Amino acid sequence: MNDATQLRPKLRWTGTVSAGVSAALRFVTRYPATSIGVVLCLIVVAAALLAPWISPFDPNDQHIIDRLQSPNGTYLLGTDSFGRDVLSRILWGARISLLVAVTSIAAAIAVGGTIGMISGYIGGRVDLFVMQTMDVLLSFPSLILGLIVVALLGPELINLVFAIALTAIAPFARIARAPVLSLKERAFIEAGRALGFSHTRILFVHLLPNILSEVLVMGSLWMATAVRTEASLSFIGLGVKPPTATWGGMMREGFENILDAPWLSVWPGIAILLLVLGLNMIGDGLRDATDPRLRGET
């Protein structure tokens, strides 16, 4: 084997890395706000995944003698009224926020997207009935509907996920239905019918890829709404039960000592702000990247 043959895999690998770096630089240059959003979300995701290893203390360990300590060398973000380390609880609380947001929105995309696609594809009275049902759900503000569901079922994690998913089903049904109404009349769909393709194949093999980008853009924006809704429900006592650390629950506990220890509410509030801001930036960037009319306006 000659030297040129031995060097060929290395050159190919180097070229792939160089192309990837160039593509990343072009993306950062073209969508700076989206890049910042990606960084913010990656920081939160990394904090959640690495919480067991980077948390200074167990999030539920109580050190009563150190209660309401201001930020210092031992407790970088201070302690709460039970002497629990605020930094550790924020790191572990990121897991709850991300778990609820990702799970609830994934469920809403699956259920709402399927309902919208089928409704738009069938059309007629079925479409009218389904969309009127979705309008009923849309008439409730997401927080109010989530509050009603959690109050009826109880403040458990699974109920919280179900409540938030229920509030998001109607928007995803509408966003999936709209393009299906026009796509189902296109020539490639008519050709599929002529070839004897099943309705299931037409829906999920030929129509779904054409609407997936719009659904994913909506999903990133609604994840921010899910984070806010989860924090709001936890703040009013309808989130995950204590002592599990949640950002909304931490703000609620800190509100009782807002004058003596403002950091108890400030730090989890900043965490919520950064995650929601990052998700909104990503959603805006994806929208601009997938909509030709908005490209170059970021």
Side-chain angles (χ1 to χ4, degrees):
M1 184 180 294
N2 56 32
D3 295 339
T5 304
Q6 292 177 346
L7 290 174
R8 192 174 300 160
K10 296 182 180 180
L11 293 174
R12 189 176 300 166
W13 180 83
T14 304
T16 302
V17 173
S18 177
V21 171
S22 300
L25 290 176
R26 286 196 302 270
F27 180 83
V28 171
T29 303
R30 188 168 185 178
Y31 303 106
T34 306
S35 303
I36 295 173
V38 171
V39 171
L40 291 175
C41 291
L42 286 177
I43 291 173
V44 176
V45 171
L49 294 176
L50 299 176
W53 296 277
I54 64 177
S55 297
F57 301 91
D58 187 287
N60 297 324
D61 278 352
Q62 300 182 13
H63 306 90
I64 300 300
I65 195 172
D66 293 328
R67 64 186 301 271
L68 297 180
Q69 288 278 325
S70 59
N72 54 58
T74 304
Y75 303 104
L76 297 181
L77 299 184
T79 60
D80 62 11
S81 56
F82 295 99
R84 297 173 297 193
D85 181 52
V86 173
L87 175 58
S88 300
R89 291 182 65 76
I90 286 178
L91 293 174
W92 282 87
R95 291 187 155 203
I96 298 296
S97 293
L98 290 174
L99 176 63
V100 171
V102 172
T103 308
S104 60
I105 297 306
I109 289 175
V111 176
T114 302
I115 290 174
M117 288 174 57
I118 294 174
S119 176
Y121 184 75
I122 295 176
R125 294 184 178 180
V126 173
D127 182 42
L128 180 62
F129 173 77
V130 171
M131 286 303 104
Q132 286 181 343
T133 304
M134 295 299 105
D135 288 341
V136 172
L137 289 177
L138 285 172
S139 65
F140 292 92
S142 58
L143 179 58
I144 301 300
L145 183 58
L147 190 153
I148 293 172
V149 173
V150 176
L152 290 174
L153 299 180
E156 300 289 344
L157 180 61
I158 186 65
N159 296 336
L160 194 62
V161 170
F162 173 73
I164 296 175
L166 183 63
T167 65
I169 285 176
F172 283 108
R174 285 203 164 275
I175 201 69
R177 168 184 176 267
V180 169
L181 289 175
S182 59
L183 287 172
K184 70 178 184 179
E185 305 298 336
R186 299 281 292 273
F188 72 98
I189 299 298
E190 294 294 339
R193 293 196 187 100
L195 291 171
F197 293 167
S198 66
H199 297 307
T200 303
R201 177 173 178 177
I202 292 174
L203 279 170
F204 294 102
V205 176
H206 301 286
L207 286 175
L208 179 60
N210 287 281
I211 70 171
L212 194 58
S213 60
E214 298 179 33
V215 173
L216 292 179
V217 171
M218 189 75 162
S220 62
L221 293 172
W222 263 88
M223 279 188 65
T225 302
V227 171
R228 293 198 308 268
T229 303
E230 184 275 329
S232 301
L233 292 173
S234 297
F235 184 81
I236 60 178
L238 292 177
V240 180
K241 294 180 180 179
T244 304
T246 63
W247 289 345
M250 292 176 66
M251 292 186 67
R252 180 193 180 195
E253 294 169 1
F255 193 74
E256 299 174 359
N257 299 281
I258 191 67
L259 297 180
D260 299 327
W263 61 85
L264 297 181
S265 295
V266 169
W267 295 125
I270 291 176
I272 295 170
L273 172 65
L274 292 178
L275 180 55
V276 170
L277 181 62
L279 290 170
N280 280 326
M281 285 181 170
I282 292 174
D284 290 341
L286 290 175
R287 180 199 60 193
D288 296 346
T290 55
D291 190 340
R293 296 170 298 178
L294 297 174
R295 289 175 184 168
E297 296 184 8
T298 304

